[in-house]
Amino acid sequence: GAARVEVYHCPLCKRFTRFPRFNDPGKLLETRRGRCGEWANCFGLLLRSLGKEARWARDWTDHVWTEVYSDKLGRWVHCDPCEEAWDKPLLYSCGWGKHLSYVLAFGRHGVADVTARYVPRFWEALEARKLVGEDWLERKVAALTAQIQSMMLEGADKAQWEAVYSAEREELRALASSGQEAAENLGGRQSGSEAWRSERGELGLAAAGGDGDEAKKKKKKGREYKLRDFVLRVSGENPPDEMGFCLFDGETETKWLDFGFVETGSAFVEVEFAEARTLISYEMTSANDEPPRDPSAWILRGFPNGDGGEVLHDVGETWRGFKARHMKYRFFLPSPKPCKRYRFEFVGVRDRSQANSIQLAQINLNF
């Protein structure tokens, strides 16, 4: 069976869709359904069946691909079956515009922290690497590799792969110290719908208009929906299931998710009514998974007239946050006043070093 099953509920047609997450590549060749992890598993199986050495590379900001050992080149080579990409390790940082923190490779000969191969300037990535100490990670990776090689290999085979991993460590140390230049025209992500790639901020730096302020302004135009008695605007969402309107569908199993938060450091949810209303309190419900994505700091701004907003409630980083999944928390406004438009401006998440987005299940407004 599947390691886990994701269940998606459409708030419009009310239908449920099951998505079993199989890990067995043999089963995946039958279902032919999956995301990057499933693609990497299947591609790894095909490579191994051809006698090639392959390992699984995981980016902690949410992507998986394959590395293949090339006897001709004498090194591990980046290979992404979802993107038809060969030996383009800076594709994600310099093409998609991702801010990578940890990239680890796992294979039958050992484990390696290969982050320096996938970022142009490793010293900049260090700012986001706060999960464990660098010395601890280096020792742990080396110990796991030594353990795997002692258990799985012997004789000349063991000596060969010890030499391969030793040479790779030197290669990665050199990259971490000197950095590397990106090739031109790496481009954005190819797999997935354009709307989904756009919400994840992975269309590419060129498509976004560069990585400066103009690109960020373009990203923050957001989405707009006309719901039953108000207009909803959100900074971004994750089609087709984790949409802005899920915040107001009354279902705690659905959620809103915005990948753009990582790129810009902010996100917003705005509601506008035909007539002014006095908001007394509001209730937020945490989403189903990944506590690091929980909002931790935001401002609720009210607009009594025109565009001049007033801060009605300010929740800083000192808020202790949600203690469980699907937890409801009510906030009371200290000085309510009638406004036609209310805007939640999120500026923090529970753990920015681990979060690849911001998410929330529900917002209930109490007038």
Side-chain angles (χ1 to χ4, degrees), residues 56-337:
W56 197 71
R58 184 194 170 186
D59 148 36
W60 251 246
T61 62
D62 194 26
H63 190 49
V64 179
W65 60 88
T66 309
E67 288 191 333
V68 186
Y69 188 77
S70 168
D71 293 315
K72 182 177 181 179
L73 298 176
R75 61 179 174 88
W76 289 99
V77 180
H78 159 255
C79 186
D80 191 329
C82 291
E83 301 296 302
E84 294 185 310
W86 168 261
D87 204 10
K88 296 180 180 179
L90 295 182
L91 172 66
Y92 315 110
S93 294
C94 302
W96 297 10
K98 287 171 71 72
H99 301 287
L100 303 180
S101 55
Y102 295 93
V103 181
L104 299 184
F106 305 87
R108 71 189 190 100
H109 302 110
V111 181
D113 177 1
V114 295
T115 311
R117 179 176 295 138
Y118 292 94
V119 295
R121 293 170 291 278
F122 181 72
W123 52 89
E124 294 179 358
L126 284 173
E127 297 178 6
R129 290 165 63 98
K130 305 298 184 184
L131 295 181
V132 296
E134 292 298 315
D135 290 341
W136 181 92
L137 180 59
E138 184 176 355
R139 292 194 303 270
K140 192 66 174 179
V141 166
L144 287 172
T145 297
Q147 181 182 21
I148 291 170
Q149 291 177 351
S150 295
M151 294 174 59
M152 304 294 292
L153 306 172
E154 59 183 15
D157 198 26
K158 184 172 183 291
Q160 174 193 349
W161 287 103
E162 285 177 342
V164 167
Y165 273 75
S166 177
E168 182 181 46
R169 284 192 292 271
E170 294 303 315
E171 172 199 350
L172 294 169
R173 287 193 185 102
L175 288 173
S177 299
S178 63
Q180 53 185 323
E181 293 295 327
E184 295 183 1
N185 302 320
L186 286 173
R189 187 170 192 159
Q190 303 300 309
S191 56
S193 69
E194 182 175 353
W196 180 76
R197 288 180 284 135
S198 176
E199 291 308 323
R200 291 174 62 93
E202 295 173 353
L203 285 174
L205 297 177
D211 57 355
D213 293 337
E214 289 303 315
K216 294 181 179 180
K217 289 178 182 177
K218 182 178 179 181
K219 175 69 179 174
K220 282 303 169 188
K221 287 184 178 179
R223 298 286 188 272
E224 180 175 299
Y225 298 96
K226 293 183 179 180
L227 303 185
R228 184 171 58 184
D229 57 352
F230 62 88
V231 174
L232 169 67
R233 302 180 186 94
V234 294
S235 53
E237 53 195 8
N238 184 31
D241 302 299
E242 297 163 342
M243 309 293 282
F245 53 75
C246 293
L247 288 166
F248 300 94
D249 64 3
E251 302 286 343
T252 58
E253 293 298 327
T254 64
K255 68 182 178 184
W256 161 71
L257 185 147
D258 183 1
F259 283 107
F261 180 87
V262 173
E263 177 187 353
T264 62
S266 64
F268 70 81
V269 174
E270 180 179 289
V271 295
E272 183 172 358
F273 298 90
E275 303 292 337
R277 298 187 180 189
T278 303
L279 183 67
I280 305 300
S281 66
Y282 61 94
E283 187 178 76
M284 290 185 175
T285 304
S286 60
N288 62 318
D289 61 1
E290 297 297 334
R293 301 173 180 170
D294 289 345
S296 65
W298 64 88
I299 292 172
L300 173 59
R301 204 178 296 273
F303 297 80
N305 298 294
D307 295 329
E310 301 179 21
V311 176
L312 302 180
H313 193 212
D314 187 344
V315 177
E317 296 282 0
T318 56
W319 181 54
R320 299 182 65 180
F322 297 109
K323 298 179 181 179
R325 301 300 82 206
H326 299 137
M327 178 183 177
K328 296 180 180 179
Y329 202 101
R330 176 167 290 187
F331 302 87
F332 290 87
L333 274 62
S335 301
K337 61 176 57 180

Side-chain angles (χ1 to χ4, degrees), residues 29 41-54:
L29 291 176
N41 283 352
C42 283
F43 191 63
L45 171 66
L46 297 176
L47 290 169
R48 294 292 297 126
S49 68
L50 294 172
K52 303 295 183 181
E53 293 296 344

